[in-house]
Amino acid sequence: MQYNRINNLLGWLCFLVAACTYILTLEPSVSFWDCGEFIACAYRLQVSHQPGYPLFAMICKVFSLASLGDNTKVAYFTNMACALASAATIMFLFWTITLIAKKMMISRGGELTTQKYILIWGAGLVGALAFAFSDTFWFSAVETIVFAMSALCTAIVFWAILKWDAHADEPGADKWIVFIAYMIGLSIGIHLLNLLTIPAVALVYYFRRYKNINFKSGLIALLISIFILAFVQFGVRGYTVMLAAYSDLFFVNKLGMGFGSGALVFFLLLAGLLVWGIRYSITKRKPMLNLAFLCVVFIYFGYGSFMYIPIRATANTDLNNSHPDNAFTLYGYLNRIQYPQMPLLSGPYFDAKVTDQTFGGPFYQKGKDKYVVAGHALENTYDHTTILPRIHSSDSTDPQFYRQWLRLGDTDVPTFSDNLKFLFSWQIGQMYFRYFLWNFAGRYNQQDGQQQMGGFHGYTDGDWTTGIFDHSKHLPKSVLNDRTYTPLYALPLVLGLIGLFYHYKYGKRDAIVISMLWLFTGLAIVFYVNQPLQPRERDYSYVCSFYAFAIWIGMGVIGIAEFMRRKVNARVASFATIGLCMLVAPILMAKKEWKAHDRSTKRVAHDMAYNYLMSCPKNAILFTGADNDTYSLWYAQEVEGIRPDVRICITTLFGGDWYIHQMQRKMNESEPLPISMRYDQYRSGTRDFVPYSDAKLPDSIELKEVFDFITSDNPQAKVEMQDGEVVNYLPTKNFKLTINPDEVVKNGVVTPDQKARLADKMEWKFTGNYLTKDNIAMMDILVHNNWKRPICFAATMSNKDLNGLQSYLYKEGFVYHLIPFKPNDQSQNQRQAKVNTKVMYDNVVNKFKYGNFKHAKYLDEQSSNLFYPFITSTYLELTQNLVQEGRSDLALNALHKYDKEMPDIYPYAGIAQSKYFIIDTAYKLHDKSTANKYMASLDSYLTDQLDYHYNLMQDSPADVDGQTVQFEVSVLNGITDLAKEYDDPKLSGKLQGQLDDYTKKFSGIMQR
């Protein structure tokens, strides 16, 4: 039998099955989160967020060329790049499993018969295809994201070390080791996760090359592998650039040479050292030293893709995160200094107070003709610290979450026991094993479940489930009928555990290797990143550990077949086991997961980006505040050329001097922003923090006077801090901006018939206790814009990012437009948002696109939980304001447009309140049919939920969420009152009966 030929063909069959699956379920355009940025940076070869993904960008650029000039197809083809990379991962996983299975069969003795070959191939097919249809991997396979290609790098590296293992005694076998080194270097340009394969690779080498295998030597081999990992991560990747930077500092500042000269000399010396090392190892006949030098050289060859970053940064691309055009900035970029650093071995508790601050090493920045010190690292000393700090973050809501999860009171002091409890229960349990079980046991839904404690009674959003006992829990239809409810009955998990135990019994060394791969790509990441509460679920970070477990799913096939051979002949056992395992793993997973991953009809991210931009007046400045109101907009502008006149300005980056400087340049069709500050007034280390110190000024102060004061270098405009530093300060929080109504009308901010509504001045109060650079830059724009460009804020931004301007912000779709209307001109009903109804109606009803929201086969969590409620509230605000203005005809049109474009879904309980207001509005507009339709669906949802809560209360009263029950009963009471108010006795009678029944059932809860 031609084993190799069939083995290769079956590997390509796995590729074909996976590729067809991913292409059929591929998102046709941009997705949420980082995808928009990645596509925009790939298409125009720009610089993405830290730490950079240059090789990924270049590969996606090549695939984007398949669009043949149709820019609307660019995202589809970059998505396809990731789909094909993911399919290739499945192919290499098949070959990996067959290599391991064949090796184990040979080690057990006996001839490799046809039946054994079939069993090996069956194991490969089951394990590889199970991973192909797993939740996390499939999600990343159908969008432009780095984790798809990173998984391919991992698959290739692990397969390559097994190929080396199979041929290690042959001449030239070490070429596989050099190939692995090159792949590791290349993978750094995609994502760092691939470096975590190094310990497993090193153990394969150890088991193959060393004869005296014992615990002590094995531990030494593991420690050496960790050293190699650290050498590549910190030495090759980090310190190489750092040493180049300090070499450049010496040549530029001391010798007076040009920027880059010292870095060039350093790299020439490094190259010379490596060449000398290779020649020395050859002449002295030191093969291990030669291999080590060759591996380092090829890692550097692969790592060379990062030359893309400073080259493209120097080109001043539109998207140019951190502008890393020199060695110092590049070093900071690679080390993600934009993001907070998490303590690892020692650090504070979340309630710790800073007792002392000292300055660390300097930060250097490129000046006019030499490097200048831009500041110093600040090192804090705390009064409450611990080793292995897990509950360390004092940011935002993190302390409150720690207390909630650990059930600490407001005055309780956290202890080391609480620290360990959080590590095991949340970081490991909730944020790793919950994800692991999503993939191999099953999942309730796609809701964010980070803060939800699971249990054996009822269900919690975002939790795992086998599905075996779910019907006995009387789960609501909203869970059981959800497309993302994917019970796998734990069958893939059981199969993998069988494979794990079987592998440890008959192939212990390889099982240890796979365990190391699983450990370092799973729990080691958990320990190293030390994450607090996250903005989204992070299961994709651990996908390679799920890859490792899929190998054991394949091994489980052999284990079951070996057991069945005791009962039936080998042929029957092989085919029966393969068939059974195909059913309980790949086929079951494909059937359950397909509906939760078919994005082929969804265009929500694309159209939401379009709507943000179309909501803006011509030449607007649009302030955004988060990934999902920014990245997809970057894609829309940079790739498809949608509204290139709008300048997107993300407030979370606006505090960087490099970003302010970019905003002072023209971008696409947008002229530079009206920022008057010189670079030396906002460069890093200057006005990073401007504290508020009340000067007891009696009235609001003209904003220009405040701005001039805080940007002045006059010593009288500064105050001395406790550490002796002298900084500018904010003397008042009460600002005003004098308005020239003629200029406002002339610049088209409002129509001439709205002139009478304009105020003669805007007055507002700044809400913070200090200014940061983004506040100062925004202040600069307000002062010097003179209403020449419309200023808008994404309506999804938080209030703290609006700088106290809420009284003058009017909704015009997905954005708030800054308009100097008299604040009291609008309705006194505080529940209604201020709306510029004429503009908003035109935008929402006539211009907006809706991403096939109503008919899409699948809606992701951002679509259903963020943008569905957002669109619903937008329509409610529009219709309610139109009704108030007496434009019932337009309000009815808007209501019908919403009904036409949007599905009637309930992603979470809170949306029921919005549906109540839709019903109320429909009744007011005399549209009884629409009101009755939403009334019926809302009633069905509420009764379904309340029935679930009642059944849960019988089994486990402590698990009932009393607040949710009270809310749902109150909404039921509300729609009952609506039915009575609008004279529908039959419906009101039905609803009243339900209300009385549930009020009685939940009397104890309702009285709380």
Side-chain angles (χ1 to χ4, degrees):
M1 177 176 288
Q2 297 179 329
Y3 172 81
N4 288 337
R5 183 180 179 184
I6 295 175
N7 192 61
N8 289 339
L9 288 173
L10 289 175
W12 282 101
L13 175 64
C14 288
F15 173 87
L16 186 63
V17 171
C20 289
T21 297
Y22 301 146
I23 292 172
L24 287 173
T25 58
L26 200 68
E27 184 141 2
S29 188
V30 66
S31 306
F32 286 117
W33 297 108
D34 298 352
C35 302
E37 182 197 22
F38 285 145
I39 300 170
C41 288
Y43 180 67
R44 299 177 74 169
L45 295 178
Q46 304 184 93
V47 181
S48 63
H49 68 269
Q50 302 170 354
Y53 313 90
L55 183 59
F56 178 78
M58 290 186 277
I59 292 172
C60 288
K61 173 62 179 178
V62 173
F63 275 84
S64 75
L65 299 177
S67 64
L68 300 178
D70 183 356
N71 290 7
T72 63
K73 296 293 185 182
V74 167
Y76 178 79
F77 284 106
T78 59
N79 290 348
M80 186 176 288
C82 293
L84 295 178
S86 299
T89 303
I90 302 306
M91 176 175 69
F92 280 101
L93 176 57
F94 170 84
W95 289 331
T96 294
I97 294 172
T98 57
L99 277 167
I100 293 172
K102 183 181 178 183
K103 179 182 177 182
M104 186 178 66
M105 291 280 197
I106 292 173
S107 68
R108 295 193 63 192
E111 184 183 353
L112 287 179
T113 63
T114 299
Q115 299 307 321
K116 288 183 178 180
Y117 283 137
I118 290 172
L119 197 55
I120 291 169
W121 293 324
L125 288 171
V126 171
L129 293 178
F131 186 62
F133 297 120
S134 62
D135 179 29
T136 299
F137 186 72
W138 195 341
F139 190 90
S140 295
V142 292
E143 63 182 22
T144 302
I145 199 72
V146 292
F147 299 99
M149 291 189 191
S150 177
L152 174 59
C153 292
T154 296
I156 292 174
V157 165
F158 196 62
W159 167 81
I161 193 60
L162 295 177
K163 290 291 286 185
W164 171 86
D165 185 35
H167 301 280
D169 295 329
E170 300 173 9
D174 284 350
K175 65 187 178 185
W176 288 105
I177 304 295
V178 177
F179 170 72
I180 288 170
Y182 182 57
M183 281 301 306
I184 287 173
L186 285 174
S187 72
I188 298 172
I190 296 174
H191 199 279
L192 296 175
L193 284 177
N194 184 251
L195 300 184
L196 297 172
T197 60
I198 290 175
V201 168
L203 283 184
V204 173
Y205 191 91
Y206 161 73
F207 284 131
R208 192 70 173 82
R209 284 289 188 230
Y210 289 85
K211 304 302 180 184
N212 185 22
I213 304 297
N214 54 50
F215 177 80
K216 181 180 178 180
S217 62
L219 181 61
I220 293 171
L222 179 61
L223 293 175
I224 291 173
S225 73
I226 295 173
F227 171 79
I228 296 171
L229 170 59
F231 172 74
V232 177
Q233 161 73 336
F234 301 109
V236 172
R237 180 183 164 274
Y239 289 126
T240 298
V241 178
M242 185 192 74
L243 292 173
Y246 280 97
S247 174
D248 210 41
L249 176 68
F250 175 77
F251 273 74
V252 174
N253 285 25
K254 298 295 185 181
L255 303 182
M257 300 182 71
F259 290 110
S261 57
L264 178 60
V265 170
F266 170 79
F267 284 121
L268 289 174
L269 290 173
L270 177 63
L273 175 65
L274 293 173
V275 170
W276 175 85
I278 292 172
R279 289 177 59 87
Y280 174 82
S281 65
I282 293 172
T283 57
K284 298 297 183 180
R285 298 186 179 182
K286 295 181 180 293
M288 285 295 293
L289 183 63
N290 180 258
L291 180 62
F293 270 108
L294 284 173
C295 286
V296 172
V297 168
F298 274 86
I299 289 173
Y300 273 119
F301 280 162
Y303 185 40
S305 68
F306 268 84
M307 286 301 296
Y308 164 105
I309 300 295
I311 290 171
R312 295 306 296 161
T314 304
N316 291 318
T317 56
D318 288 349
L319 304 183
N320 192 356
N321 196 301
S322 302
H323 194 70
D325 65 340
N326 64 86
F328 277 107
T329 311
L330 180 61
Y331 179 65
Y333 177 85
L334 294 174
N335 284 278
R336 295 168 58 91
I337 61 171
Q338 180 176 311
Y339 303 98
Q341 300 299 307
M342 304 299 174
L344 183 60
L345 300 178
S346 176
Y349 285 101
F350 65 86
D351 67 338
K353 301 294 187 296
V354 176
T355 58
D356 189 24
Q357 289 185 325
T358 56
F359 289 115
F363 292 128
Y364 289 100
Q365 190 176 59
K366 187 178 178 182
K368 185 176 181 181
D369 53 12
K370 62 173 57 179
Y371 289 105
V372 297
V373 175
H376 292 78
L378 192 63
E379 298 173 357
N380 294 328
T381 302
Y382 297 92
D383 63 353
H384 191 196
T385 60
T386 181
I387 58 171
L388 305 178
R390 302 288 108 183
I391 45 177
H392 57 84
S393 174
S394 58
D395 293 341
S396 188
T397 59
D398 288 340
Q400 179 184 350
F401 170 65
Y402 291 142
R403 291 189 182 279
Q404 171 195 327
W405 187 267
L406 298 170
R407 297 179 181 175
L408 297 174
D410 292 340
T411 59
D412 290 342
V413 177
T415 64
F416 187 68
S417 174
D418 296 320
N419 192 55
L420 292 181
K421 180 180 177 182
F422 189 77
L423 166 64
F424 289 105
S425 67
W426 193 79
Q427 290 186 329
I428 292 177
Q430 191 77 350
M431 298 301 283
Y432 177 75
F433 279 109
R434 180 170 59 99
Y435 298 150
F436 178 82
L437 293 169
W438 280 0
N439 285 273
F440 303 113
R443 184 177 181 180
Y444 274 121
N445 55 35
Q446 65 177 358
Q447 303 297 317
D448 191 318
Q450 294 181 69
Q451 302 183 56
Q452 306 293 325
M453 291 188 180
F456 294 100
H457 303 284
Y459 81 99
T460 55
D461 283 332
D463 203 3
W464 67 276
T465 180
T466 64
I468 297 172
F469 304 107
D470 284 353
H471 286 281
S472 65
K473 296 178 180 179
H474 305 284
L475 295 181
K477 295 175 185 176
S478 60
V479 172
L480 296 176
N481 297 336
D482 193 292
R483 296 181 67 86
T484 60
Y485 173 64
T486 52
L488 301 176
Y489 314 112
L491 294 174
L493 175 66
V494 171
L495 183 57
L497 292 175
I498 291 171
L500 184 156
F501 291 122
Y502 180 79
H503 201 199
Y504 261 94
K505 184 174 181 179
Y506 295 108
K508 186 175 182 180
R509 291 182 180 179
D510 284 344
I512 291 173
V513 169
I514 296 170
S515 297
M516 285 298 104
L517 181 63
W518 176 82
L519 179 68
F520 275 87
T521 56
L523 296 182
I525 298 176
V526 172
F527 185 81
Y528 182 76
V529 299
N530 193 13
Q531 60 191 1
L533 194 64
Q534 297 295 293
R536 59 167 165 159
E537 300 280 20
R538 298 295 192 186
D539 54 305
Y540 54 81
S541 298
Y542 312 108
V543 67
C544 291
S545 72
F546 309 151
Y547 166 95
F549 188 78
I551 296 173
W552 282 324
I553 290 180
M555 302 307 292
V557 175
I558 300 175
I560 294 174
E562 288 291 307
F563 175 79
M564 290 185 64
R565 283 179 58 187
R566 302 174 187 174
K567 308 294 181 181
V568 296
N569 65 55
R571 178 183 176 85
V572 174
S574 296
F575 283 106
T577 301
I578 293 169
L580 175 65
C581 291
M582 286 291 288
L583 283 173
V584 303
I587 293 175
L588 172 68
M589 295 170 76
K591 180 179 183 299
K592 294 292 185 180
E593 299 284 359
W594 190 289
K595 65 184 186 301
H597 294 85
D598 185 0
R599 302 199 219 172
S600 60
T601 56
K602 182 176 78 70
R603 293 179 58 88
V604 176
H606 175 278
D607 286 0
M608 296 306 102
Y610 175 89
N611 294 345
Y612 274 112
L613 293 170
M614 295 306 294
S615 297
C616 296
K618 185 174 178 58
N619 296 321
I621 302 167
L622 174 60
F623 290 101
T624 63
D627 293 359
N628 288 321
D629 57 22
T630 303
Y631 289 161
S632 55
L633 277 68
W634 281 348
Y635 160 82
Q637 281 194 329
E638 297 292 306
V639 179
E640 296 195 18
I642 297 171
R643 293 298 305 275
D645 59 299
V646 175
R647 176 62 66 96
I648 299 167
C649 184
I650 179 168
T651 56
T652 51
L653 299 181
F654 211 17
D657 57 358
W658 58 270
Y659 192 71
I660 297 174
H661 191 58
Q662 288 177 12
M663 292 297 104
Q664 291 177 304
R665 296 199 324 259
K666 183 174 181 177
M667 186 180 295
N668 297 317
E669 295 178 14
S670 167
E671 294 300 320
L673 295 191
I675 299 175
S676 66
M677 287 187 291
R678 304 182 311 274
Y679 183 70
D680 64 284
Q681 290 180 298
Y682 62 79
R683 73 180 311 148
S684 181
T686 304
R687 296 181 178 85
D688 293 334
F689 173 81
V690 177
Y692 168 64
S693 179
D694 191 359
K696 308 298 182 183
L697 301 175
D699 299 312
S700 297
I701 304 300
E702 191 68 38
L703 188 62
K704 187 177 189 316
E705 294 181 33
V706 178
F707 173 75
D708 289 343
F709 185 82
I710 62 176
T711 56
S712 172
D713 291 326
N714 189 326
Q716 293 183 346
K718 298 185 177 183
V719 64
E720 185 175 351
M721 304 294 287
Q722 289 182 349
D723 61 2
E725 184 182 10
V726 178
V727 299
N728 289 92
Y729 72 96
L730 177 66
T732 181
K733 294 184 181 183
N734 299 311
F735 305 153
K736 72 176 179 180
L737 190 64
T738 301
I739 305 300
N740 182 340
D742 292 331
E743 285 293 318
V744 175
V745 174
K746 177 184 175 182
N747 289 317
V749 179
V750 298
T751 57
D753 61 310
Q754 294 176 312
K755 182 177 179 180
R757 296 174 56 189
L758 293 174
D760 59 357
K761 60 182 177 181
M762 289 171 51
E763 292 186 287
W764 71 98
K765 184 173 183 178
F766 180 68
T767 54
N769 291 317
Y770 56 87
L771 295 174
T772 50
K773 215 166 287 181
D774 57 312
N775 304 131
I776 300 171
M778 189 180 294
M779 190 182 295
D780 195 352
I781 291 172
L782 290 173
V783 169
H784 295 99
N785 183 48
N786 296 321
W787 302 101
K788 292 179 181 178
R789 296 183 69 171
I791 296 176
C792 301
F793 295 83
T796 41
M797 291 178 69
S798 64
N799 283 336
K800 70 179 180 64
D801 293 322
L802 301 178
N803 290 312
L805 291 165
Q806 288 90 323
S807 296
Y808 301 97
L809 296 178
Y810 290 80
K811 201 168 187 180
E812 294 185 346
F814 277 12
V815 305
Y816 291 116
H817 185 183
L818 184 66
I819 305 176
F821 285 143
K822 299 169 185 175
N824 295 326
D825 188 60
Q826 288 288 310
S827 166
Q828 297 303 307
N829 186 347
Q830 296 299 310
R831 181 172 55 80
Q832 294 183 3
K834 295 188 294 297
V835 172
N836 195 2
T837 52
K838 182 178 180 181
V839 176
M840 183 168 173
Y841 177 86
D842 185 46
N843 285 337
V844 171
V845 176
N846 299 325
K847 295 180 181 179
F848 273 18
K849 297 180 180 179
Y850 292 90
N852 199 30
F853 231 119
K854 189 162 190 172
H855 304 291
K857 296 176 182 177
Y858 161 81
L859 294 173
D860 60 3
E861 192 250 351
Q862 289 299 304
S863 299
S864 61
N865 283 46
L866 175 60
F867 283 98
Y868 180 74
F870 180 47
I871 293 173
T872 301
S873 65
T874 298
Y875 267 96
L876 280 171
E877 289 161 356
L878 175 60
T879 54
Q880 289 170 351
N881 277 274
L882 285 169
V883 169
Q884 184 182 347
E885 294 175 8
R887 300 304 307 271
S888 295
D889 54 335
L890 296 182
L892 188 61
N893 288 344
L895 183 65
H896 287 167
K897 179 71 173 179
Y898 173 84
D899 185 50
K900 175 185 176 182
E901 300 288 354
M902 301 303 292
D904 187 12
I905 58 175
Y906 293 84
Y908 57 89
I911 200 71
Q913 187 174 31
S914 297
K915 297 298 178 70
Y916 164 84
F917 289 121
I918 289 176
I919 297 166
D920 184 31
T921 302
Y923 274 131
K924 287 177 179 176
L925 295 171
H926 310 292
D927 186 359
K928 191 172 182 180
S929 63
T930 300
N932 286 345
K933 181 173 75 170
Y934 282 95
M935 181 78 84
S937 71
L938 180 54
D939 177 49
S940 176
Y941 171 77
L942 292 172
T943 54
D944 185 40
Q945 292 290 316
L946 289 168
D947 286 341
Y948 162 71
H949 291 307
Y950 181 70
N951 285 308
L952 180 60
M953 190 169 66
Q954 309 309 303
D955 299 329
S956 180
D959 289 322
V960 176
D961 185 345
Q963 288 186 334
T964 300
V965 170
Q966 290 174 343
F967 170 76
E968 289 167 352
V969 172
S970 70
V971 176
L972 181 60
N973 182 58
I975 60 174
T976 302
D977 290 342
L978 285 179
K980 294 176 182 177
E981 180 181 351
Y982 291 100
D983 196 24
D984 192 334
K986 183 177 179 181
L987 179 59
S988 64
K990 172 191 171 185
L991 294 174
Q992 186 64 54
Q994 293 174 347
L995 179 62
D996 293 341
D997 180 41
Y998 290 120
T999 302
K1000 181 179 179 181
K1001 287 178 177 178
F1002 297 108
S1003 58
I1005 292 176
M1006 299 306 295
Q1007 292 172 6
R1008 291 178 187 172

